[in-house]
Amino acid sequence: MATTTANGLEILLTREQIAERVRQMGEQITADLAGEKLVMVGVLKGAAPFLSDLARCIDVDATFDFVAVKSYAKGSRTSSGAVKLIKDLDEPIEGKNVLIVEDILDTGLTLTYLRKIFLQHHPKTLRIAALLDKPSRRIEQIEADYVGFAIPNLFVIGYGMDYSERYRNLPDICLMPPDTP
Ligand code: IMP
Ligand code: MG
């Protein structure tokens, strides 16, 4: 039987599984950036818990910045393709090692857009860390440098991820019941 939360949601990834994988990702990023400085750029709002945990598992001289994007949705589970920046970087990234931190790589439209505009600022290096990856949903050809978990085409909530802005504060990653409007 699948593990469920107190409110009856099915858990896909427990907080313990997430913590262990985030720790491993942090170790790998630390090794790859050894001796370098790093700017971690979180994609609001979903990546906030992941960035917060990942940053504390990365042992390099790091700063934080945040961007926010809006993707024009046909419905709350699908996007139309248009992505717009609604909050830009606070600090210049030219010549810096940049790590984009995103909750989930789905169609790839968001990260393709962000990668394109960040590259125009000529960072020294540009990497992507995505906690989740849904490779079967890809429209744009893009891969993350660091992936926490590859998952099937399921709609997930919790650990930052929302359904109509709700459920971001669930500590585990849960499945959205398919019959929800
Ligand atoms: P992409 O542009 O299609 O790759 O979409 C990425 C964004 O869509 C993520 O940052 C999430 O905000 C959102 N998203 C995609 N799949 C899910 C999901 O299963 N649950 C919650 N949000 C999702
Ligand atoms: Mg997001």
Side-chain angles (χ1 to χ4, degrees):
M1 212 186 89
T3 320
T4 53
T5 62
N7 44 9
L9 293 167
E10 189 180 330
I11 298 179
L12 180 68
L13 295 161
T14 64
R15 62 199 81 181
E16 291 83 10
Q17 289 173 303
I18 299 166
E20 173 57 16
R21 187 69 189 117
V22 170
R23 194 190 57 73
Q24 293 168 351
M25 294 174 85
E27 268 183 11
Q28 197 188 338
I29 294 165
T30 302
D32 292 351
L33 270 297
E36 297 274 335
K37 289 185 180 181
L38 176 65
V39 184
M40 299 181 70
V41 179
V43 185
L44 294 172
K45 304 166 196 163
F50 176 43
L51 183 139
S52 162
D53 287 343
L54 181 65
R56 287 174 287 172
C57 297
I58 294 178
D59 190 13
V60 303
D61 185 352
T63 58
F64 295 174
D65 207 335
F66 293 93
V67 292
V69 293
K70 193 168 171 57
S71 50
Y72 288 92
K74 287 184 199 137
S76 33
R77 292 179 193 230
T78 55
S79 70
S80 62
V83 182
K84 186 182 151 197
L85 195 67
I86 56 171
K87 189 226 164 283
D88 203 345
L89 293 164
D90 291 336
E91 300 293 332
I93 55 168
E94 187 178 343
K96 297 185 178 166
N97 295 302
V98 175
L99 179 68
I100 306 178
V101 181
E102 174 62 308
D103 52 3
I104 177 160
L105 174 52
D106 186 30
T107 63
L109 291 164
T110 304
L111 282 169
T112 298
Y113 170 80
L114 287 176
R115 184 175 61 178
K116 183 169 151 240
I117 58 169
F118 284 9
L119 285 174
Q120 290 166 357
H121 294 285
H122 305 292
K124 182 178 178 187
T125 60
L126 182 63
R127 294 178 171 87
I128 296 172
L131 180 64
L132 302 181
D133 184 7
K134 288 191 216 174
S136 67
R137 293 258 306 159
R138 207 74 91 247
I139 293 172
E140 292 286 348
Q141 258 202 348
I142 184 164
E143 299 305 327
D145 300 272
Y146 309 97
V147 171
F149 303 91
I151 63 166
N153 183 16
L154 300 166
F155 197 87
V156 293
I157 50 175
Y159 197 71
M161 287 165 287
D162 72 307
Y163 179 71
S164 296
E165 296 299 327
R166 295 177 61 205
Y167 308 108
R168 292 192 195 274
N169 60 322
L170 295 176
D172 309 293
I173 295 176
C174 300
L175 298 181
M176 191 65 207
D179 52 353
T180 312

